[in-house]
Amino acid sequence: MEAIRKQATKLREQVARQQQCTCKGTYNIGSEGVFSISSAAVMIVGFAVFKQFGGGGYGGSDNVVTDEAELHQHQRLERLYISTRAGKHFQRDIVRGVEGYIVTGSKQVEIGTKLSEDSRKYGSDNTCTSGNTLSKAALSYGRARAQMEKERGNLLKALGTQVAEPLRAMVLGAPLDDARHLAQRYDRMRQEAEAQAIEVSKRQAKVRETPGNPDLALKLDAAEVKLHDLKSNMAILGKEAAAAMAAVESQQQRLTLQRLIAMVEAERTYHQRVLQILGQLEGEMLSERQRIEAAPTAPTPSVDTMPPPPAYEEVNGIYASQTHNGSTDAMGYFLGEVVHPYQAESDVELTLSVGDYVVVRKVTNNGWAEGECKGKAGWFPFGYIERRDRVLASKMAEVF
């Protein structure tokens, strides 16, 4: 509102100055009196009001236009200016986003590389006394992590060289600045032409007010020639500016799309390679776990190569012979703890779980032993247990 009041005050002052001029025709204002306003003053006020309230365009100018072609040229330049400005801002946003992603990704590479080194170090030291399974897994993980961080580094490098740098170069490049300068020069020349058109109108009014004045006629001719030159130059400059802005807009659209596609392709390649590395690592670790679960870590007797357990009749005969000879006490029973699981393959064998306790009554020369576990008697591989001389009473209760 303050700006409108200032403009109204300025217009009133212009009208007051023009009241001092003579004019053909008077305008009655009620009963307050009469005053004269020159036709030139009316034209000036009209142009000023149109310029103030007739709407704006790029560069703050959408005033008197000379013809329809020039108006279309001006509107086209205005659209191109808005489009290239939005494209420039979008390119700048992409550059900022990619640069932030690179900074964050570099920190992730640093952390991942440290984790890789720690895993490799643990696997190389191999301080565990019960096996090297975890050491192997740590080495595999460290190697895979190093490969993944290398791929991440390649991605960040590609984003920097293929996306951020080309877009930054275009944002700061000369073609866009040159085209914008041409458009601004055209806008200034258009404003100058509008001002000259007002000047021509003023001089035409003076010639009409004072016909036959050669000095006024000469000045009018000079003003019209200047206006014609301005229009011609403005038309040429407008075409040059529109062509330059259109070329920049086309380049913006094409280059930005290409860089977006390059960014998507780089990320897709990175994720595909990381997925491949993770798949190979998972396969290695699962294979090692299955090997551990399928077979004990310590050397154990091979059941497939062991002879079948002796028949109970044979064993009973041995027991009878030993009892007859009075040697049963000499053989003696002992307690053993199962250290490797065993699944019975016949009715005369025992199924053993790690941690079970077995009362061993007989050990044969072919690697089998006979005993009792959890109230059931049968045969089992002797190598699957370890002798225990001292056992808690609660453990003894589990045997019978």
Side-chain angles (χ1 to χ4, degrees):
M1 294 298 296
E2 183 65 25
I4 295 176
R5 283 195 294 269
K6 290 181 178 180
Q7 184 64 23
T9 302
K10 183 178 180 180
L11 293 177
R12 285 197 299 269
E13 293 175 354
Q14 292 178 351
V15 171
R17 287 195 298 269
Q18 292 297 328
Q19 287 178 357
Q20 300 174 1
C21 301
T22 59
C23 176
K24 296 179 180 178
T26 58
Y27 297 86
N28 294 326
I29 310 294
S31 60
E32 298 296 330
V34 214
F35 65 90
S36 299
I37 304 177
S38 70
S39 58
V42 173
M43 188 174 296
I44 291 174
V45 173
F47 279 132
V49 172
F50 183 81
K51 185 173 183 180
Q52 178 67 21
F53 302 106
Y58 91 93
S61 174
D62 189 16
N63 306 320
V64 179
V65 292
T66 56
D67 52 37
E68 185 177 357
E70 198 280 331
L71 176 61
H72 289 326
Q73 183 81 293
H74 175 71
Q75 292 175 343
R76 184 190 179 201
L77 267 174
E78 185 177 37
R79 291 192 298 268
L80 287 169
Y81 193 92
I82 294 173
S83 172
T84 53
R85 181 177 58 191
K88 176 182 178 180
H89 291 171
F90 181 48
Q91 289 177 332
R92 187 171 57 195
D93 292 340
I94 295 175
V95 171
R96 290 175 178 173
V98 170
E99 288 177 344
Y101 186 85
I102 291 174
V103 172
T104 304
S106 299
K107 185 62 177 179
Q108 291 177 330
V109 170
E110 181 182 346
I111 296 173
T113 302
K114 180 64 167 57
L115 178 58
S116 171
E117 287 297 320
D118 293 340
S119 300
R120 184 196 61 78
K121 183 178 179 181
Y122 176 83
S124 300
D125 292 346
N126 192 19
T127 56
C128 182
T129 59
S130 61
N132 60 353
T133 303
L134 181 58
S135 299
K136 291 181 178 179
L139 285 174
S140 298
Y141 179 80
R143 181 177 62 255
R145 173 56 63 182
Q147 293 175 350
M148 288 189 289
E149 298 310 328
K150 181 179 179 181
E151 294 297 335
R152 190 194 299 272
N154 293 338
L155 169 64
L156 299 179
K157 182 178 179 181
L159 292 179
T161 58
Q162 299 179 17
V163 180
E165 292 181 4
L167 291 179
R168 186 189 301 108
M170 187 168 187
V171 169
L172 303 176
L176 177 59
D177 287 341
D178 293 344
R180 291 165 71 94
H181 289 159
L182 282 175
Q184 292 166 359
R185 284 177 55 195
Y186 164 80
D187 188 63
R188 289 193 296 269
M189 186 172 291
R190 191 171 190 270
Q191 293 178 13
E192 186 177 352
E194 290 170 352
Q196 186 63 24
I198 296 174
E199 180 66 21
V200 169
S201 299
K202 289 168 56 178
R203 296 192 178 281
Q204 287 174 346
K206 289 182 179 181
V207 168
R208 286 194 298 268
E209 293 169 1
T210 311
N213 189 329
D215 186 46
L216 293 178
L218 289 175
K219 290 182 178 180
L220 175 60
D221 291 340
E224 289 177 344
V225 170
K226 183 177 180 180
L227 177 60
H228 180 270
D229 293 341
L230 285 173
K231 288 181 179 181
S232 300
N233 294 334
M234 182 179 65
I236 296 173
L237 186 59
K239 292 180 180 179
E240 293 179 358
M245 294 289 284
V248 170
E249 182 189 50
S250 176
Q251 186 184 19
Q252 275 184 341
Q253 298 290 311
R254 183 178 64 257
L255 179 64
T256 306
L257 178 60
Q258 290 175 352
R259 296 311 95 198
L260 284 176
I261 294 174
M263 181 165 58
V264 171
E265 290 178 347
E267 291 191 81
R268 180 179 58 85
T269 302
Y270 162 73
H271 289 294
Q272 285 180 340
R273 292 178 179 175
V274 168
L275 183 61
Q276 181 180 3
I277 294 171
L278 288 174
Q280 182 178 356
L281 174 62
E282 183 185 28
E284 294 176 359
M285 300 179 81
L286 289 178
S287 176
E288 185 66 18
R289 187 178 70 178
Q290 291 172 358
R291 185 185 68 80
I292 296 172
E293 293 176 351
T297 56
T300 57
S302 176
V303 179
D304 296 336
T305 59
M306 291 180 61
Y312 269 93
E313 293 79 5
E314 179 183 351
V315 176
N316 289 335
I318 296 175
Y319 283 170
S321 173
Q322 291 175 342
T323 304
H324 178 74
N325 294 332
S327 59
T328 301
D329 294 337
M331 179 186 68
Y333 295 169
F334 65 89
L335 197 64
E337 181 181 358
V338 179
V339 294
H340 303 300
Y342 177 71
Q343 182 65 39
E345 298 180 359
S346 65
D347 295 337
V348 299
E349 299 178 17
L350 287 177
T351 296
L352 305 177
S353 300
V354 176
D356 291 345
Y357 284 86
V358 185
V359 176
V360 182
R361 296 193 294 238
K362 174 63 179 177
V363 179
T364 63
N365 294 330
N366 60 1
W368 286 89
E370 192 276 337
E372 184 176 350
C373 178
K374 297 182 180 179
K376 183 179 179 180
W379 290 93
F380 57 88
F382 181 65
Y384 281 66
I385 67 169
E386 290 183 1
R387 183 165 180 165
R388 298 288 185 263
D389 293 331
R390 296 182 180 180
V391 181
L392 296 174
S394 60
K395 296 296 183 181
M396 288 293 296
E398 297 176 359
V399 179
F400 301 101

